[in-house]
Amino acid sequence: MSRKLEQLQPEKVFYYFEEISQIPRRSGNEKAISDYMVGFAKERGLKVIQDEYNNVVIYKNGTEGYESSPAVILQGHLDMVCEQNEGTGHDFEKDPIDLMIDGEWLTANGTTLGADNGIAVAYILAVLDSSELKHPPIEAVFTTDEEVGLTGALMMDKSVLNAKYFINLDSEEEGELTVGCAGGLKAKLSLPVTLTTNEFDQPVVKKIRIKGLKGGHSGVDIDKNRANADRVMGRVLSHLREEFSLRLVDVKGGSKDNVIPREAEVTLVIEDELIGHFKEHFTQVVADVKHELRTGEPELTIVEETLSFSESMHIMSKDSTDTVIFTLINVPNGIQTMSADLEGMVESSLNLGKVAVEDQRVIFLFAVRSNVRTLKYHITNQLQWFANQIGAVFIQTADYPEWEFKPESNLLTQAAKIYEANTGKEPIVKAIHAGLEPGAFLEKLPHLDAISIGPDMEEVHSPNERLHIKSTERTWDFLKEILAALK
């Protein structure tokens, strides 16, 4: 394999990042990357454990002078969000990530890069592979299915860990020391719909597509005023429903509960005698939406086309059509509360991440987040009530704990001191609204002293994801110094 990143520094970190980028690792498809970790450990004579969930723990003794120091967990997750631009044609089940260097940034060709959280894996492998770094005993923890609910971290047997310190490497901004995170919950509303035969004398089929939205991470980007394609589609349909008697055939938007949808499309049927007014009203609602989103979503496009009608089409009844549209525009979505303790921090939110037709049901997938446990369950209860009122079935699919800040932290003190000595600036100490895995470990191992760090990344969970190359190098140096300080 020809190396695209061999000139980048730190050499070993980017070597391993390129290695794992060759291995498909969509959430739920991590066996190959998990086996790679096991092989890596065995080749170096390191003790390794692989569990039934494909989590891997690799143990490395402390270096000279650190043999009896308290152990430190280095942790990252093996899976990645798999998103691609329309027409890219990437097969995440078998194709390697097509890495590209774009000036100061590393990105991918039309797909997510997988730096979330591949860069953590690369950092940890570089530590394990080094014979020169000074460090305490290492317990390298590689978890699975983080992106779909922290499943691997939650299910892992924590009794195999004996460390005092915990360094998670899943943060996305250099200079920030993360010391807490939101808990999360995933939910599905399953709405039964009634299918009928065509009731119009001269039916016309229209397909409406929404594209060009920024999308992004449903935790990190929820406060950036980014439009949700499913909600925008609801807006368009609601406007058209006021003017026309329309029936839905298909509706889909987004791909995962924890990703703000970038694209959506619907197929619908209207009466031919009304088609002369369709263009006028469609153009008006598109103009309204684009004006409202002109600053935050300048690339938004909303287009329509006419398709051929078929008597075999599965057409939703009037009541089912209305209920779907009602749900798209009224179900809770976005920021719910802001923190009263940390200025500018989102406290609770939920994201409508996916809408799709499955058999005779329309499903709506949600990611609920909150730094306050009771609010997480209150929002969930709201969804339950909403589901009851529209005749949908509510299903909870995952639940993971928050990570509460511990003000007395030697690890935080050491990391902050090192950062300030290197940069002349104080680091930003913060809790984030996204879910991080330390919460799943501290729930069972409350003695752990934990922080999360990482290099600068942008647009994670989208095909625009990119990793800053120099920041990756600086964060590597920062990590090495933290390890050396934990004697």
Side-chain angles (χ1 to χ4, degrees):
M1 180 187 75
S2 61
R3 296 280 175 186
K4 294 183 178 181
L5 310 184
E6 59 184 351
Q7 302 303 317
L8 300 184
Q9 297 294 325
E11 182 181 356
K12 272 294 176 70
V13 172
F14 281 109
Y15 169 82
Y16 284 115
F17 187 81
E18 190 161 11
E19 280 276 296
I20 65 173
S21 295
Q22 305 303 303
I23 305 171
R25 57 187 199 278
R26 172 185 56 78
S27 302
N29 184 37
E30 298 120 315
K31 184 64 166 65
I33 188 68
S34 178
D35 289 346
Y36 174 89
M37 299 298 144
V38 173
F40 171 95
K42 290 181 176 179
E43 287 173 6
R44 290 156 182 80
L46 300 175
K47 178 184 174 182
V48 60
I49 297 173
Q50 182 184 41
D51 69 16
E52 61 183 302
Y53 306 101
N54 290 316
N55 298 306
V56 175
V57 183
I58 301 175
Y59 301 84
K60 184 181 181 185
N61 294 331
T63 56
E64 184 177 355
Y66 291 80
E67 297 92 341
S68 300
S69 300
V72 57
I73 294 169
L74 297 180
Q75 188 268 324
H77 61 85
L78 296 173
D79 60 321
M80 63 176 282
V81 167
C82 296
E83 288 280 304
Q84 62 181 296
N85 290 323
E86 186 176 357
T88 300
H90 187 91
D91 186 345
F92 282 106
E93 299 301 312
K94 63 180 182 180
D95 294 341
I97 301 298
D98 187 4
L99 302 174
M100 299 172 60
I101 298 173
D102 182 12
E104 298 179 345
W105 298 87
L106 178 63
T107 187
N109 185 15
T111 72
T112 38
L113 174 63
D116 174 18
N117 194 220
I119 194 59
V121 177
Y123 279 143
I124 299 169
L125 292 177
V127 170
L128 295 173
D129 196 36
S130 174
S131 59
E132 301 172 357
L133 297 185
K134 298 177 180 179
H135 60 74
I138 299 292
E139 297 175 355
V141 178
F142 304 96
T143 52
T144 55
D145 284 355
E146 189 270 352
E147 299 291 2
V148 293
L150 282 70
T151 309
L154 289 168
M155 300 304 294
M156 180 181 164
D157 178 9
K158 313 302 190 302
S159 68
V160 302
L161 303 174
N162 299 289
K164 175 181 179 180
Y165 299 110
F166 188 108
I167 302 176
N168 168 272
L169 292 157
D170 197 11
S171 289
E172 296 160 6
E173 292 189 52
E174 182 186 357
E176 294 188 350
L177 303 179
T178 302
V179 293
C181 74
L185 185 147
K186 295 176 182 289
K188 176 169 73 172
L189 268 60
S190 179
L191 174 69
V193 293
T194 302
L195 302 181
T196 67
T197 56
N198 169 55
E199 60 188 88
F200 298 136
D201 292 333
Q202 294 179 299
V204 175
V205 181
K206 289 287 187 179
K207 182 181 283 290
I208 300 173
R209 290 189 175 94
I210 293 172
K211 297 189 293 185
L213 295 175
K214 291 178 181 178
H217 189 293
S218 67
V220 174
D221 298 319
I222 202 71
D223 62 343
K224 294 181 173 59
N225 201 30
R226 295 184 178 176
N228 181 310
D230 294 331
R231 301 283 281 192
V232 174
M233 186 61 80
R235 171 73 185 283
V236 172
L237 291 173
S238 177
H239 178 90
L240 296 175
R241 178 65 182 83
E242 292 177 4
E243 306 296 334
F244 305 102
S245 180
L246 59 86
R247 303 288 184 268
L248 288 175
V249 176
D250 191 24
V251 54
K252 58 184 176 182
S255 60
K256 297 177 179 66
D257 48 40
N258 62 350
V259 179
I260 301 171
R262 298 177 297 113
E263 300 175 351
E265 66 178 50
V266 298
T267 306
L268 54 88
V269 178
I270 64 172
E271 176 62 59
D272 179 69
E273 66 181 24
L274 301 174
I275 198 64
H277 300 289
F278 183 88
K279 190 71 174 180
E280 172 190 350
H281 290 287
F282 177 79
T283 301
Q284 182 61 58
V285 70
V286 169
D288 291 345
V289 172
K290 295 189 73 170
H291 175 73
E292 293 161 6
L293 301 176
R294 64 193 181 281
T295 302
E297 300 284 4
E299 303 301 318
L300 167 64
T301 62
I302 308 176
V303 298
E304 60 90 8
E305 63 175 312
T306 303
L307 305 181
S308 299
F309 175 76
S310 169
E311 292 291 349
S312 63
M313 282 183 169
H314 299 293
I315 302 172
M316 296 182 202
S317 69
K318 177 182 181 299
D319 286 346
S320 292
T321 294
D322 288 349
T323 303
V324 172
I325 297 173
F326 173 85
T327 302
L328 289 174
I329 63 174
N330 288 293
V331 74
N333 184 72
I335 295 172
Q336 301 298 294
T337 60
M338 298 294 292
S339 173
D341 300 315
L342 296 173
E343 185 177 355
M345 191 188 86
V346 178
E347 182 177 67
S348 63
S349 73
L350 75 164
N351 176 64
L352 171 57
K354 179 178 179 179
V355 178
V357 176
E358 294 184 356
D359 297 323
Q360 287 187 229
R361 293 179 174 270
V362 178
I363 62 157
F364 303 83
L365 301 186
F366 296 87
V368 179
R369 301 177 188 270
S370 181
N371 292 66
V372 178
R373 181 170 296 189
T374 52
L375 279 173
K376 178 176 70 174
Y377 294 121
H378 171 64
I379 294 168
T380 305
N381 192 44
Q382 285 182 286
L383 285 177
Q384 175 74 72
W385 270 98
F386 194 97
N388 292 344
Q389 293 302 110
I390 64 171
V393 177
F394 174 86
I395 304 166
Q396 182 179 312
T397 57
D399 189 355
Y400 56 89
E402 66 281 353
W403 165 22
E404 293 189 12
F405 170 53
K406 292 181 179 180
E408 300 300 323
S409 168
N410 179 57
L411 182 55
L412 174 61
T413 299
Q414 295 291 341
K417 186 186 302 183
I418 291 167
Y419 184 83
E420 189 168 0
N422 288 344
T423 66
K425 301 181 294 184
E426 291 185 4
I428 298 171
V429 179
K430 63 183 289 189
I432 65 168
H433 190 56
L436 289 173
E437 290 166 294
F441 288 88
L442 270 75
E443 185 180 41
K444 300 293 184 181
L445 304 171
H447 68 277
L448 285 174
D449 187 354
I451 63 171
S452 179
I453 64 174
D456 286 335
M457 286 183 268
E458 295 182 352
E459 305 292 341
V460 298
H461 291 193
S462 85
N464 298 322
E465 179 186 3
R466 59 183 192 163
L467 170 71
H468 195 272
I469 295 167
K470 281 295 184 183
S471 179
T472 301
E473 183 175 13
R474 292 190 295 267
T475 302
W476 169 244
D477 292 337
F478 184 39
L479 174 61
K480 291 191 295 183
E481 289 193 59
I482 293 174
L483 292 174
L486 297 177
K487 194 165 185 179

